[in-house]
Amino acid sequence: MKKEMLTGNAAAAWGVRLAEVDYIPAFPVTPQTEIIETLARWIADGDMASRFVTMDSEHSMITAAGAASATGVRAFTATSSQGLLYGFEMLYAVAGWRVPLVMVNVSRGLSAPITLETDHNDVLAARDSGFLQIHCETCQEVLDSILMAYRLVEDERVLLPIIVNMDGFYLSFTREPVEVPNLERVRNFLPPYQPKHAFFKASQPMAQSVTALGGSLYSYFKYQMHLGSQKALEVYKEVCVEFEKEFGRHYDTIEGYMLDDADYVLVMTNSFSTLGKAAVKRARARGIKAGLLRLRLLRPFPAENIQRALTGKRAVAVIDQNISVGKGGILHSDVASCLCNEKQRPLLFSFIGGLGGKNISPGEFEFIFTELIKAVAGEAVEPSQLLYTEEEWQEMVRLKRIAGKE
Amino acid sequence: MGIERIKSIKDLPPEENVFSGTPACAGCGALLSLRLTLKALGRKIVIVNAAGCFTLLTIYPYTPFANSWLYTAMASAPAGAQGVRDALDILLEKGRLDPEEDLKVVVLTGDGAAYDIGLASTSGAIYRNLDFYYLCYDNEAYGNTGFQRSGATPFGSGTGTTPPGSVRPTGTELPKKDLFEIWRSHKPPYLATISPAYPVDLINKFKKAEQYKGPKLFIALSPCPPGWATDPSYTVKLAKLAVGTGVWALKEAVYGEVSHTIVPKKFKPVEEYLKEQGRFAHLFKPVRQEETLKKMQEMVDDYWKRHQLLL
Ligand code: SF4
């Protein structure tokens, strides 16, 4: 095994190369372009024996990737933001085909207004589609998760597509030391794809994705997808054990950081969790019993693990890097729903921050802990707040003046 | 050219590859087009279906097809064909599929997907020189959702979204898009228009197309009894009239070079075709729309004049 300084995008490309993917239909979109460019170069140089085709849109790209999976090859594709939404219709279709497609999404805020930087409204919009979702904090995790993803979704108990998600810019273009496993060991962990469920060949005609008229028939198939996704929790555990055996790195559905004895907990996902962990460390230094829970697997939702991690805590702040307009933080709702019947449930607050790549500063984390402590002391605290500093507000006022709107 | 052509209806391949009992409407011209197409293509095919009437042929747990079938979405059947073809090629190259098990890839679509929502993905697939057959059953409107104007609806037709009214008596005011020419501008190896009323011409076109690798288009003008408001028993006669009046030109293009395969010796007046159909009834009643009828005849004449087949 060798260690290299890789961007998140390059780490993703390595994951795909090591998984010996057969087919990569692609369409460029910032900030994931580096993934497909890297793969295209490897294929052009003969380093990978895959077929690469540039499609006419993400809608076509996801269709081609799903159709290739349905024909019996190991397929991969990647997208981001508007691209994911442009192909959105096909997420539901490919999930319904029950084919093990792996797709990387590099999260980026959605138009309008236009931005290039990260938040999670893109990937979370896909949470009900049937695609499983792994959210990564580090470049190493991106590479590893792609290998785990194929192993997970090609399992006959699962057979659903999956999104491996990372943050645009914060991870896609950040270099970190990444251990690139050697191919022989990857082959031990991830055997070639043997389609038993979906394929096309002359001697066995098969109709896939047929019409299911009548609610009971439709419900049956939809519920089968739900069961497949839930089954993935169990299979995921096995995959983690196997992965650790082969490569020595352990990944759970969730990750606790200084969590065991914590009273005040941040719940986060993706690369901003690193900022959260640093904030927890600083809070501990000030004598606050702080901790962090990072959600890694978002679909299927590891409700039981989250319950176990959070019951008995005094106060929890879910930091959502997304905004469900007219409702608030999306993950806050998910976490709340799995705690609502717990007897020893903590006080639960929602903070929305980091939209469009907006920084979450040490001061803002401090503010969150102060709010949690106030709430536990019985003081009134807003249930949902947007993180936005006085400084940022002043800057906004100045810009509005320039635009002639003030 | 060494291709064996059939000469009469007696030479049609006897094998049926789409079975009876489908939920298509009685007298569906599109189903007849499909039936003949599948006689030509045989069973070693996989159909990639776009949304349309024929998505409803396969209803769990039944399929009327003797071959494989995949539904993608309305906008992206050609992209689905790309994924299937590429995957089959990969499997063949890597020795994971016996060449005997290989399949021809066929996109099956109505005019709504072909002329409108699926045009971008179709253009992409032709541009990439995908080796596939593309059958568009053209009933000149969105038939599966009732009968609304599509890019294939001809000038003067009434539809659910272009109803003839007192202010707009014509119905559809835009002319039909020329899908054949849109495809031809991409320079694929083989293009053809076909008709379910001319099975010999249809079969021979598929036989000819077979020798070319790359995109192969077949547009079948397909009478649709409920949409066109005609009697189901009248479908073949109407399809013949479309050709006999010059409304539907039977032609092919090999690498862009156009030739007409059936040209009426004497063109019948377009009116003969129009007056049989409910979708054009407003052109005759309560008042004859002389201007519109004249324009429709001129549009047809212009086409044949341009090709120097009407002097
Ligand atoms: S609506 Fe028209 S095209 Fe569709 S099945 Fe009925 S007759 Fe055929």
Side-chain angles (χ1 to χ4, degrees), chain A residues 185-213:
Chain A
R185 310 201 57 169
V186 174
R187 282 180 178 159
N188 286 339
F189 170 74
L190 180 67
Y193 175 45
Q194 300 284 359
K196 295 200 189 95
H197 150 86
F199 53 81
F200 290 122
K201 56 170 151 184
S203 62
Q204 268 170 282
M206 188 185 298
Q208 296 195 43
S209 186
V210 301
T211 309
L213 292 183

PDB file of all heavy atoms in Angstrom, chain A residues 185-213:
ATOM      1  N   ARG A 185      -5.425  -6.855  -3.018  1.00  0.00           N
ATOM      2  CA  ARG A 185      -6.227  -6.852  -1.784  1.00  0.00           C
ATOM      3  C   ARG A 185      -7.643  -6.382  -2.063  1.00  0.00           C
ATOM      4  O   ARG A 185      -8.603  -6.870  -1.468  1.00  0.00           O
ATOM      5  CB  ARG A 185      -5.552  -5.979  -0.737  1.00  0.00           C
ATOM      6  CG  ARG A 185      -4.090  -6.373  -0.601  1.00  0.00           C
ATOM      7  CD  ARG A 185      -3.493  -5.955   0.662  1.00  0.00           C
ATOM      8  NE  ARG A 185      -4.176  -6.456   1.841  1.00  0.00           N
ATOM      9  CZ  ARG A 185      -3.646  -6.342   3.036  1.00  0.00           C
ATOM     10  NH1 ARG A 185      -2.460  -5.775   3.174  1.00  0.00           N
ATOM     11  NH2 ARG A 185      -4.289  -6.785   4.093  1.00  0.00           N
ATOM     12  N   VAL A 186      -7.759  -5.428  -2.992  1.00  0.00           N
ATOM     13  CA  VAL A 186      -9.109  -4.984  -3.346  1.00  0.00           C
ATOM     14  C   VAL A 186      -9.896  -6.148  -3.950  1.00  0.00           C
ATOM     15  O   VAL A 186     -11.069  -6.343  -3.650  1.00  0.00           O
ATOM     16  CB  VAL A 186      -9.069  -3.780  -4.311  1.00  0.00           C
ATOM     17  CG1 VAL A 186     -10.475  -3.431  -4.785  1.00  0.00           C
ATOM     18  CG2 VAL A 186      -8.431  -2.573  -3.629  1.00  0.00           C
ATOM     19  N   ARG A 187      -9.192  -6.937  -4.774  1.00  0.00           N
ATOM     20  CA  ARG A 187      -9.880  -8.094  -5.397  1.00  0.00           C
ATOM     21  C   ARG A 187     -10.346  -9.104  -4.345  1.00  0.00           C
ATOM     22  O   ARG A 187     -11.391  -9.743  -4.517  1.00  0.00           O
ATOM     23  CB  ARG A 187      -8.959  -8.774  -6.402  1.00  0.00           C
ATOM     24  CG  ARG A 187      -8.899  -8.006  -7.718  1.00  0.00           C
ATOM     25  CD  ARG A 187      -7.978  -8.689  -8.704  1.00  0.00           C
ATOM     26  NE  ARG A 187      -7.965  -7.987  -9.974  1.00  0.00           N
ATOM     27  CZ  ARG A 187      -6.983  -8.092 -10.868  1.00  0.00           C
ATOM     28  NH1 ARG A 187      -5.936  -8.871 -10.617  1.00  0.00           N
ATOM     29  NH2 ARG A 187      -7.030  -7.423 -11.997  1.00  0.00           N
ATOM     30  N   ASN A 188      -9.573  -9.255  -3.280  1.00  0.00           N
ATOM     31  CA  ASN A 188     -10.010 -10.136  -2.189  1.00  0.00           C
ATOM     32  C   ASN A 188     -11.310  -9.653  -1.576  1.00  0.00           C
ATOM     33  O   ASN A 188     -12.183 -10.421  -1.205  1.00  0.00           O
ATOM     34  CB  ASN A 188      -8.981 -10.149  -1.043  1.00  0.00           C
ATOM     35  CG  ASN A 188      -7.760 -10.948  -1.408  1.00  0.00           C
ATOM     36  OD1 ASN A 188      -7.811 -11.781  -2.304  1.00  0.00           O
ATOM     37  ND2 ASN A 188      -6.653 -10.680  -0.717  1.00  0.00           N
ATOM     38  N   PHE A 189     -11.380  -8.321  -1.461  1.00  0.00           N
ATOM     39  CA  PHE A 189     -12.532  -7.722  -0.776  1.00  0.00           C
ATOM     40  C   PHE A 189     -13.740  -7.610  -1.697  1.00  0.00           C
ATOM     41  O   PHE A 189     -14.882  -7.812  -1.288  1.00  0.00           O
ATOM     42  CB  PHE A 189     -12.130  -6.339  -0.247  1.00  0.00           C
ATOM     43  CG  PHE A 189     -13.281  -5.530   0.273  1.00  0.00           C
ATOM     44  CD1 PHE A 189     -13.879  -5.847   1.490  1.00  0.00           C
ATOM     45  CD2 PHE A 189     -13.774  -4.444  -0.460  1.00  0.00           C
ATOM     46  CE1 PHE A 189     -14.944  -5.095   1.977  1.00  0.00           C
ATOM     47  CE2 PHE A 189     -14.838  -3.703   0.019  1.00  0.00           C
ATOM     48  CZ  PHE A 189     -15.422  -4.023   1.239  1.00  0.00           C
ATOM     49  N   LEU A 190     -13.468  -7.258  -2.962  1.00  0.00           N
ATOM     50  CA  LEU A 190     -14.555  -6.980  -3.903  1.00  0.00           C
ATOM     51  C   LEU A 190     -14.442  -7.888  -5.122  1.00  0.00           C
ATOM     52  O   LEU A 190     -13.741  -7.578  -6.071  1.00  0.00           O
ATOM     53  CB  LEU A 190     -14.485  -5.503  -4.332  1.00  0.00           C
ATOM     54  CG  LEU A 190     -15.545  -5.023  -5.307  1.00  0.00           C
ATOM     55  CD1 LEU A 190     -16.925  -5.023  -4.666  1.00  0.00           C
ATOM     56  CD2 LEU A 190     -15.200  -3.618  -5.816  1.00  0.00           C
ATOM     57  N   PRO A 191     -15.157  -9.014  -5.118  1.00  0.00           N
ATOM     58  CA  PRO A 191     -15.097  -9.918  -6.274  1.00  0.00           C
ATOM     59  C   PRO A 191     -15.797  -9.295  -7.488  1.00  0.00           C
ATOM     60  O   PRO A 191     -16.555  -8.345  -7.331  1.00  0.00           O
ATOM     61  CB  PRO A 191     -15.829 -11.168  -5.792  1.00  0.00           C
ATOM     62  CG  PRO A 191     -16.657 -10.738  -4.644  1.00  0.00           C
ATOM     63  CD  PRO A 191     -16.069  -9.494  -4.065  1.00  0.00           C
ATOM     64  N   PRO A 192     -15.537  -9.812  -8.714  1.00  0.00           N
ATOM     65  CA  PRO A 192     -16.207  -9.268  -9.905  1.00  0.00           C
ATOM     66  C   PRO A 192     -17.726  -9.378  -9.780  1.00  0.00           C
ATOM     67  O   PRO A 192     -18.240 -10.274  -9.108  1.00  0.00           O
ATOM     68  CB  PRO A 192     -15.707 -10.157 -11.043  1.00  0.00           C
ATOM     69  CG  PRO A 192     -14.517 -10.880 -10.506  1.00  0.00           C
ATOM     70  CD  PRO A 192     -14.658 -10.943  -9.031  1.00  0.00           C
ATOM     71  N   TYR A 193     -18.419  -8.463 -10.433  1.00  0.00           N
ATOM     72  CA  TYR A 193     -19.882  -8.431 -10.383  1.00  0.00           C
ATOM     73  C   TYR A 193     -20.485  -9.580 -11.188  1.00  0.00           C
ATOM     74  O   TYR A 193     -20.182  -9.741 -12.362  1.00  0.00           O
ATOM     75  CB  TYR A 193     -20.367  -7.077 -10.917  1.00  0.00           C
ATOM     76  CG  TYR A 193     -21.871  -6.946 -11.039  1.00  0.00           C
ATOM     77  CD1 TYR A 193     -22.717  -7.384 -10.016  1.00  0.00           C
ATOM     78  CD2 TYR A 193     -22.450  -6.359 -12.159  1.00  0.00           C
ATOM     79  CE1 TYR A 193     -24.090  -7.256 -10.123  1.00  0.00           C
ATOM     80  CE2 TYR A 193     -23.826  -6.223 -12.270  1.00  0.00           C
ATOM     81  CZ  TYR A 193     -24.631  -6.680 -11.252  1.00  0.00           C
ATOM     82  OH  TYR A 193     -25.993  -6.551 -11.363  1.00  0.00           O
ATOM     83  N   GLN A 194     -21.285 -10.381 -10.537  1.00  0.00           N
ATOM     84  CA  GLN A 194     -21.981 -11.501 -11.193  1.00  0.00           C
ATOM     85  C   GLN A 194     -23.477 -11.240 -11.159  1.00  0.00           C
ATOM     86  O   GLN A 194     -24.136 -11.555 -10.174  1.00  0.00           O
ATOM     87  CB  GLN A 194     -21.714 -12.823 -10.442  1.00  0.00           C
ATOM     88  CG  GLN A 194     -20.263 -13.234 -10.352  1.00  0.00           C
ATOM     89  CD  GLN A 194     -19.750 -13.803 -11.661  1.00  0.00           C
ATOM     90  OE1 GLN A 194     -20.499 -13.909 -12.628  1.00  0.00           O
ATOM     91  NE2 GLN A 194     -18.467 -14.154 -11.704  1.00  0.00           N
ATOM     92  N   PRO A 195     -24.031 -10.664 -12.216  1.00  0.00           N
ATOM     93  CA  PRO A 195     -25.463 -10.333 -12.155  1.00  0.00           C
ATOM     94  C   PRO A 195     -26.339 -11.578 -12.196  1.00  0.00           C
ATOM     95  O   PRO A 195     -26.212 -12.386 -13.107  1.00  0.00           O
ATOM     96  CB  PRO A 195     -25.665  -9.478 -13.408  1.00  0.00           C
ATOM     97  CG  PRO A 195     -24.596  -9.912 -14.342  1.00  0.00           C
ATOM     98  CD  PRO A 195     -23.429 -10.338 -13.505  1.00  0.00           C
ATOM     99  N   LYS A 196     -27.172 -11.741 -11.177  1.00  0.00           N
ATOM    100  CA  LYS A 196     -28.099 -12.877 -11.191  1.00  0.00           C
ATOM    101  C   LYS A 196     -29.523 -12.371 -11.385  1.00  0.00           C
ATOM    102  O   LYS A 196     -30.421 -13.091 -11.763  1.00  0.00           O
ATOM    103  CB  LYS A 196     -28.012 -13.633  -9.859  1.00  0.00           C
ATOM    104  CG  LYS A 196     -26.669 -14.280  -9.651  1.00  0.00           C
ATOM    105  CD  LYS A 196     -26.763 -15.388  -8.605  1.00  0.00           C
ATOM    106  CE  LYS A 196     -25.386 -15.891  -8.231  1.00  0.00           C
ATOM    107  NZ  LYS A 196     -24.833 -15.248  -7.034  1.00  0.00           N
ATOM    108  N   HIS A 197     -29.671 -11.088 -11.117  1.00  0.00           N
ATOM    109  CA  HIS A 197     -31.021 -10.547 -11.056  1.00  0.00           C
ATOM    110  C   HIS A 197     -31.407  -9.798 -12.331  1.00  0.00           C
ATOM    111  O   HIS A 197     -32.519  -9.931 -12.815  1.00  0.00           O
ATOM    112  CB  HIS A 197     -31.087  -9.626  -9.832  1.00  0.00           C
ATOM    113  CG  HIS A 197     -32.040  -8.495  -9.954  1.00  0.00           C
ATOM    114  ND1 HIS A 197     -33.362  -8.618  -9.650  1.00  0.00           N
ATOM    115  CD2 HIS A 197     -31.865  -7.222 -10.368  1.00  0.00           C
ATOM    116  CE1 HIS A 197     -33.960  -7.461  -9.851  1.00  0.00           C
ATOM    117  NE2 HIS A 197     -33.081  -6.606 -10.290  1.00  0.00           N
ATOM    118  N   ALA A 198     -30.466  -9.011 -12.860  1.00  0.00           N
ATOM    119  CA  ALA A 198     -30.789  -8.177 -14.019  1.00  0.00           C
ATOM    120  C   ALA A 198     -29.682  -8.286 -15.053  1.00  0.00           C
ATOM    121  O   ALA A 198     -28.528  -8.017 -14.753  1.00  0.00           O
ATOM    122  CB  ALA A 198     -30.948  -6.726 -13.580  1.00  0.00           C
ATOM    123  N   PHE A 199     -30.049  -8.718 -16.253  1.00  0.00           N
ATOM    124  CA  PHE A 199     -29.085  -8.848 -17.356  1.00  0.00           C
ATOM    125  C   PHE A 199     -29.883  -9.049 -18.643  1.00  0.00           C
ATOM    126  O   PHE A 199     -31.083  -9.309 -18.599  1.00  0.00           O
ATOM    127  CB  PHE A 199     -28.132 -10.032 -17.141  1.00  0.00           C
ATOM    128  CG  PHE A 199     -28.845 -11.327 -16.880  1.00  0.00           C
ATOM    129  CD1 PHE A 199     -29.361 -12.062 -17.937  1.00  0.00           C
ATOM    130  CD2 PHE A 199     -29.027 -11.785 -15.585  1.00  0.00           C
ATOM    131  CE1 PHE A 199     -30.055 -13.244 -17.707  1.00  0.00           C
ATOM    132  CE2 PHE A 199     -29.724 -12.968 -15.345  1.00  0.00           C
ATOM    133  CZ  PHE A 199     -30.242 -13.699 -16.407  1.00  0.00           C
ATOM    134  N   PHE A 200     -29.205  -8.910 -19.749  1.00  0.00           N
ATOM    135  CA  PHE A 200     -29.853  -9.201 -21.026  1.00  0.00           C
ATOM    136  C   PHE A 200     -29.024 -10.192 -21.808  1.00  0.00           C
ATOM    137  O   PHE A 200     -27.826  -9.998 -21.985  1.00  0.00           O
ATOM    138  CB  PHE A 200     -30.024  -7.920 -21.853  1.00  0.00           C
ATOM    139  CG  PHE A 200     -31.042  -6.977 -21.282  1.00  0.00           C
ATOM    140  CD1 PHE A 200     -30.693  -5.679 -20.932  1.00  0.00           C
ATOM    141  CD2 PHE A 200     -32.357  -7.381 -21.093  1.00  0.00           C
ATOM    142  CE1 PHE A 200     -31.636  -4.801 -20.402  1.00  0.00           C
ATOM    143  CE2 PHE A 200     -33.308  -6.510 -20.565  1.00  0.00           C
ATOM    144  CZ  PHE A 200     -32.942  -5.218 -20.216  1.00  0.00           C
ATOM    145  N   LYS A 201     -29.647 -11.267 -22.255  1.00  0.00           N
ATOM    146  CA  LYS A 201     -29.015 -12.166 -23.207  1.00  0.00           C
ATOM    147  C   LYS A 201     -30.082 -12.905 -24.003  1.00  0.00           C
ATOM    148  O   LYS A 201     -31.213 -13.074 -23.537  1.00  0.00           O
ATOM    149  CB  LYS A 201     -28.037 -13.117 -22.535  1.00  0.00           C
ATOM    150  CG  LYS A 201     -28.590 -13.972 -21.429  1.00  0.00           C
ATOM    151  CD  LYS A 201     -27.526 -15.000 -21.086  1.00  0.00           C
ATOM    152  CE  LYS A 201     -27.587 -15.449 -19.661  1.00  0.00           C
ATOM    153  NZ  LYS A 201     -26.527 -16.363 -19.300  1.00  0.00           N
ATOM    154  N   ALA A 202     -29.659 -13.331 -25.210  1.00  0.00           N
ATOM    155  CA  ALA A 202     -30.638 -13.857 -26.166  1.00  0.00           C
ATOM    156  C   ALA A 202     -31.418 -15.061 -25.635  1.00  0.00           C
ATOM    157  O   ALA A 202     -32.616 -15.170 -25.850  1.00  0.00           O
ATOM    158  CB  ALA A 202     -29.932 -14.215 -27.464  1.00  0.00           C
ATOM    159  N   SER A 203     -30.721 -15.946 -24.906  1.00  0.00           N
ATOM    160  CA  SER A 203     -31.388 -17.192 -24.511  1.00  0.00           C
ATOM    161  C   SER A 203     -32.364 -17.008 -23.345  1.00  0.00           C
ATOM    162  O   SER A 203     -33.148 -17.902 -23.059  1.00  0.00           O
ATOM    163  CB  SER A 203     -30.338 -18.239 -24.137  1.00  0.00           C
ATOM    164  OG  SER A 203     -29.584 -17.786 -23.034  1.00  0.00           O
ATOM    165  N   GLN A 204     -32.284 -15.868 -22.681  1.00  0.00           N
ATOM    166  CA  GLN A 204     -33.196 -15.642 -21.556  1.00  0.00           C
ATOM    167  C   GLN A 204     -33.855 -14.276 -21.653  1.00  0.00           C
ATOM    168  O   GLN A 204     -33.451 -13.343 -20.967  1.00  0.00           O
ATOM    169  CB  GLN A 204     -32.423 -15.715 -20.240  1.00  0.00           C
ATOM    170  CG  GLN A 204     -32.403 -17.084 -19.610  1.00  0.00           C
ATOM    171  CD  GLN A 204     -31.418 -17.102 -18.465  1.00  0.00           C
ATOM    172  OE1 GLN A 204     -30.206 -17.189 -18.670  1.00  0.00           O
ATOM    173  NE2 GLN A 204     -31.922 -16.994 -17.258  1.00  0.00           N
ATOM    174  N   PRO A 205     -34.851 -14.146 -22.523  1.00  0.00           N
ATOM    175  CA  PRO A 205     -35.506 -12.841 -22.662  1.00  0.00           C
ATOM    176  C   PRO A 205     -36.053 -12.373 -21.310  1.00  0.00           C
ATOM    177  O   PRO A 205     -36.569 -13.186 -20.535  1.00  0.00           O
ATOM    178  CB  PRO A 205     -36.652 -13.098 -23.637  1.00  0.00           C
ATOM    179  CG  PRO A 205     -36.381 -14.425 -24.250  1.00  0.00           C
ATOM    180  CD  PRO A 205     -35.486 -15.181 -23.328  1.00  0.00           C
ATOM    181  N   MET A 206     -35.901 -11.085 -21.051  1.00  0.00           N
ATOM    182  CA  MET A 206     -36.324 -10.565 -19.757  1.00  0.00           C
ATOM    183  C   MET A 206     -36.901  -9.168 -19.940  1.00  0.00           C
ATOM    184  O   MET A 206     -36.323  -8.357 -20.646  1.00  0.00           O
ATOM    185  CB  MET A 206     -35.105 -10.508 -18.830  1.00  0.00           C
ATOM    186  CG  MET A 206     -35.471 -10.171 -17.412  1.00  0.00           C
ATOM    187  SD  MET A 206     -34.036  -9.961 -16.336  1.00  0.00           S
ATOM    188  CE  MET A 206     -33.270 -11.562 -16.397  1.00  0.00           C
ATOM    189  N   ALA A 207     -38.052  -8.917 -19.343  1.00  0.00           N
ATOM    190  CA  ALA A 207     -38.613  -7.565 -19.364  1.00  0.00           C
ATOM    191  C   ALA A 207     -38.298  -6.901 -18.033  1.00  0.00           C
ATOM    192  O   ALA A 207     -38.641  -7.429 -16.982  1.00  0.00           O
ATOM    193  CB  ALA A 207     -40.113  -7.616 -19.604  1.00  0.00           C
ATOM    194  N   GLN A 208     -37.613  -5.791 -18.096  1.00  0.00           N
ATOM    195  CA  GLN A 208     -37.242  -5.075 -16.864  1.00  0.00           C
ATOM    196  C   GLN A 208     -37.979  -3.743 -16.806  1.00  0.00           C
ATOM    197  O   GLN A 208     -38.176  -3.089 -17.815  1.00  0.00           O
ATOM    198  CB  GLN A 208     -35.730  -4.810 -16.833  1.00  0.00           C
ATOM    199  CG  GLN A 208     -34.874  -6.063 -16.782  1.00  0.00           C
ATOM    200  CD  GLN A 208     -33.426  -5.739 -16.396  1.00  0.00           C
ATOM    201  OE1 GLN A 208     -33.144  -4.964 -15.504  1.00  0.00           O
ATOM    202  NE2 GLN A 208     -32.486  -6.344 -17.107  1.00  0.00           N
ATOM    203  N   SER A 209     -38.306  -3.358 -15.575  1.00  0.00           N
ATOM    204  CA  SER A 209     -38.955  -2.068 -15.339  1.00  0.00           C
ATOM    205  C   SER A 209     -40.324  -1.992 -15.994  1.00  0.00           C
ATOM    206  O   SER A 209     -40.665  -1.009 -16.651  1.00  0.00           O
ATOM    207  CB  SER A 209     -38.076  -0.926 -15.864  1.00  0.00           C
ATOM    208  OG  SER A 209     -38.630   0.316 -15.527  1.00  0.00           O
ATOM    209  N   VAL A 210     -41.107  -3.049 -15.824  1.00  0.00           N
ATOM    210  CA  VAL A 210     -42.427  -3.109 -16.448  1.00  0.00           C
ATOM    211  C   VAL A 210     -43.440  -2.285 -15.662  1.00  0.00           C
ATOM    212  O   VAL A 210     -43.192  -1.859 -14.540  1.00  0.00           O
ATOM    213  CB  VAL A 210     -42.928  -4.576 -16.575  1.00  0.00           C
ATOM    214  CG1 VAL A 210     -41.960  -5.392 -17.395  1.00  0.00           C
ATOM    215  CG2 VAL A 210     -43.144  -5.201 -15.200  1.00  0.00           C
ATOM    216  N   THR A 211     -44.580  -2.078 -16.288  1.00  0.00           N
ATOM    217  CA  THR A 211     -45.662  -1.338 -15.651  1.00  0.00           C
ATOM    218  C   THR A 211     -46.273  -2.172 -14.520  1.00  0.00           C
ATOM    219  O   THR A 211     -46.410  -3.383 -14.662  1.00  0.00           O
ATOM    220  CB  THR A 211     -46.754  -1.047 -16.700  1.00  0.00           C
ATOM    221  OG1 THR A 211     -46.121  -0.452 -17.826  1.00  0.00           O
ATOM    222  CG2 THR A 211     -47.818  -0.116 -16.175  1.00  0.00           C
ATOM    223  N   ALA A 212     -46.614  -1.503 -13.423  1.00  0.00           N
ATOM    224  CA  ALA A 212     -47.280  -2.198 -12.312  1.00  0.00           C
ATOM    225  C   ALA A 212     -48.568  -1.451 -12.007  1.00  0.00           C
ATOM    226  O   ALA A 212     -48.600  -0.583 -11.145  1.00  0.00           O
ATOM    227  CB  ALA A 212     -46.379  -2.245 -11.082  1.00  0.00           C
ATOM    228  N   LEU A 213     -49.601  -1.774 -12.761  1.00  0.00           N
ATOM    229  CA  LEU A 213     -50.866  -1.077 -12.555  1.00  0.00           C
ATOM    230  C   LEU A 213     -51.584  -1.655 -11.346  1.00  0.00           C
ATOM    231  O   LEU A 213     -51.575  -2.856 -11.121  1.00  0.00           O
ATOM    232  CB  LEU A 213     -51.750  -1.197 -13.800  1.00  0.00           C
ATOM    233  CG  LEU A 213     -51.257  -0.463 -15.053  1.00  0.00           C
ATOM    234  CD1 LEU A 213     -52.279  -0.617 -16.172  1.00  0.00           C
ATOM    235  CD2 LEU A 213     -51.005   1.005 -14.786  1.00  0.00           C
TER     236      LEU A 213
END
